[in-house]
Structures are given as structure tokens and as C-alpha cells.
């Protein structure tokens, strides 16, 4: 982060100006959930940017904001793959360039699942398909347990990322890297935002295919929703821990 942009954020927050947070909703299943609640509780002004309006059609011809329009950008998940350039042709290359521009400007980015994969791809990492889907509430191994708890965290992904060469891996699991930091960027493979309502929405959007994916992964849609209810309070505490650890590092605390 450049010194000027970091100083600007410190002054803004010190004098009570709200943190401006933008959530990228890549598809209708992308919602801020618990992550949005935790940021709002810190006084953040939340902006939502809906992109593709259907999981069947990824077309989006909108304009990405300026790199200094927000203090924090949160690209959320998506049903698609970062490397599916034909389907995402109207925006994925533009988003990856924008992520690099945000990085150069020192604007913090917290990428979630697809958003974390986009961060990896934008900065020299790699995204690849997995042999099978990773679905369910599962623990991770964290190198910074005082900032990123072991969870369990909600997983629903069929791709995984290899971090950029200069990134710092802060969490792993058997299926691959779970989180990394890179300058003012934080990428997670898991879904810290997940609530019972969000998971139910994913299941509704995906229909029988989504239920089949859950069963193939050794669970059911109902079990995922019930677990989300059980995990909600603990997950919110883990999100608070993560934000309290990371936000001050990028000039937002």
C-alpha cells in the first residue's frame, strides 16, 4: 500500500467517516451475509454491485468503479470458473485488470471463493479444477490462529487456487490452499459469509444438480442448512477475529 492512500484511510476513520465497502455480486447467489453484517457493525457503508443476473447467463456489461471509490472491495463467489473465458467474456478480463489496478492503488481487497480465485489469477497464481467438489463445513489449518481461526468454515467449490509466487499462505486444507495474503489483498477459498439463508438460496438456484453435488460430497442440502444454523454464532465470532486482525494491517482499523 502506498503511504498516501494508507494515511488517507487512517484520517478518514479516525474522524468518524464510514468505511466504504463494495461487494461484487457475480451472480444472484452472491450475498454479503455474515461478512456484510460484521462490516456494517463496524460502521461500514455497504454498496452492492449486482453483475450477471442469472446463473445461466454470465453476461455483464457494467463499469467497474474507480480504484479510490471504496476503502474495501469484496469480490464474492460465483457458480462459474475464473478460467471459463468464453462464458465470462464480457467481464472476467476486465475484472482481473481492475483487481491489479486496485492493488497498485493500495485499495484493500478481500476475495471470497471465486473472488479469492480471481485475486490469485490476477496476480500470477493459478486456478484449476478439482477432481471432486468440496462441499460442507470443514476445519482448516491456519498459520495465524490469532487472526484466522480453524473454523469450521463453509466450503462449496469445484476449483482451487495456487497463490501468486509472492503471496503468503496463511491457511491450508487437504484439498489445497485456503487463504493467502498479498500486500493489501486477502483471499479465502472458503465462504465466511455463509448463512442458512444463503446456502438455501444456492440450493434453490442450483436445483436438483446442487443437491446431487452435496450428496456426492457426502452431505445433503438440509444438513448444510442445519449446520449453518448451528455454526452461525461461532462463525460470526471467527469473522470478527479475522477482521480485527486483518483490517488494521491494511489501514482500516
Amino acid at each position: 500500500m502506498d503511504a498516501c492512500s494508507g494515511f488517507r484511510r487512517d484520517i478518514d476513520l479516525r474522524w468518524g467517516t464510514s468505511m466504504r465497502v463494495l461487494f461484487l455480486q457475480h451472480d444472484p447467489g452472491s450475498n454479503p451475509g455474515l461478512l456484510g453484517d460484521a462490516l456494517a457493525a463496524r460502521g461500514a457503508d455497504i454498496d452492492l454491485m449486482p453483475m450477471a443476473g442469472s446463473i445461466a447467463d454470465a453476461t455483464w456489461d457494467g463499469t467497474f468503479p474507480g480504484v479510490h471509490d471504496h476503502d474495501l472491495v469484496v469480490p464474492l463467489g460465483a457458480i462459474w470458473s475464473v478460467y471459463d473465458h468464453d462464458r465470462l467474456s464480457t467481464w472476467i478480463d476486465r475484472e482481473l485488470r481492475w483487481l491489479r489496478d486496485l492493488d497498485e492503488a493500495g485499495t484493500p481487497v478481500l476475495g471470497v471463493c471465486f473472488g479469492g480465485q480471481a485475486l490469485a489469477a490476477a496476480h500470477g497464481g493459478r486456478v484449476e479444477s478439482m477432481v471432486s467438489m468440496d462441499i460442507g463445513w470443514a476445519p482448516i489449518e491456519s498459520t495465524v490462529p490469532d487472526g484466522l481461526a480453524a473454523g469450521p468454515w463453509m466450503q462449496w467449490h469445484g476449483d482451487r487456487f495456487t497463490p501468486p509466487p509472492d503471496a503468503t499462505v496463511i491457511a491450508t486444507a487437504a484439498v489445497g490452499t485456503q487463504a493467502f495474503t498479498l500486500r493489501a489483498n486477502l483471499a479465502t477459498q472458503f465462504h465466511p459469509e455463509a448463512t442458512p439463508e444463503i446456502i438455501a438460496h444456492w440450493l434453490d438456484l442450483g436445483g436438483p444438480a446442487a443437491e446431487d453435488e452435496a450428496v456426492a460430497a457426502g452431505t445433503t442440502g438440509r444438513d448444510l442448512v442445519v449446520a449453518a444454523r448451528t455454526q452461525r454464532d461461532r462463525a460470526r465470532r471467527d469473522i470478527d477475529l479475522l477482521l480485527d486482525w486483518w483490517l488494521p494491517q491494511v489501514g482500516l482499523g
Side-chain angles (χ1 to χ4, degrees):
M1 177 187 302
D2 65 272
C4 291
S5 62
F7 182 73
R8 174 184 59 78
R9 292 189 187 92
D10 289 344
I11 291 295
D12 283 349
L13 298 178
R14 185 180 306 139
W15 290 102
T17 300
S18 295
M19 185 191 338
R20 300 160 298 173
V21 180
L22 175 67
F23 281 86
L24 267 65
Q25 299 178 289
H26 293 107
D27 67 26
S30 302
N31 287 287
L34 293 179
L35 189 53
D37 291 345
L39 288 165
R42 287 162 170 75
D45 287 334
I46 305 294
D47 291 333
L48 305 179
M49 192 171 88
M51 295 175 63
S54 165
I55 64 170
D57 182 1
T59 302
W60 182 74
D61 295 315
T63 301
F64 288 97
V67 296
H68 293 301
D69 287 355
H70 296 86
D71 298 297
L72 173 63
V73 172
V74 186
L76 290 166
I79 195 170
W80 305 294
S81 296
V82 167
Y83 49 79
D84 191 353
H85 287 268
D86 289 341
R87 185 175 295 182
L88 309 185
S89 61
T90 58
W91 55 270
I92 188 60
D93 288 338
R94 294 191 294 125
E95 179 167 332
L96 298 185
R97 286 196 300 271
W98 182 61
L99 291 174
R100 288 190 289 269
D101 291 343
L102 289 167
D103 180 62
E104 185 176 351
T107 298
V109 177
L110 197 175
V112 172
C113 197
F114 178 95
Q117 293 165 2
L119 276 175
H123 297 298
R126 189 175 73 252
V127 180
E128 62 184 2
S129 177
M130 295 162 44
V131 174
S132 58
M133 299 282 291
D134 185 21
I135 301 174
W137 292 86
I140 61 175
E141 296 183 17
S142 172
T143 66
V144 286
D146 291 338
L148 177 53
W153 297 95
M154 179 62 196
Q155 309 277 359
W156 195 314
H157 59 102
D159 292 330
R160 61 186 174 190
F161 53 64
T162 299
D166 47 350
T168 299
V169 174
I170 60 171
T172 58
V175 297
T177 302
Q178 288 292 307
F180 69 81
T181 58
L182 176 68
R183 295 180 290 277
N185 304 290
L186 168 61
T188 73
Q189 183 59 80
F190 53 85
H191 287 274
E193 82 283 12
T195 64
E197 295 78 15
I198 286 175
I199 296 172
H201 191 200
W202 292 345
L203 291 162
D204 287 343
L205 286 172
E211 181 65 29
D212 289 346
E213 288 177 349
V215 170
T219 184
T220 68
R222 181 182 181 278
D223 287 345
L224 293 171
V225 172
V226 169
R229 295 194 188 105
T230 302
Q231 299 287 348
R232 186 193 289 265
D233 291 344
R234 195 265 326 140
R236 177 57 192 272
R237 290 193 297 272
D238 285 351
I239 291 168
D240 284 335
L241 181 71
L242 178 62
L243 294 177
D244 288 345
W245 169 76
W246 183 67
L247 290 177
Q249 295 184 47
V250 294
L252 294 176

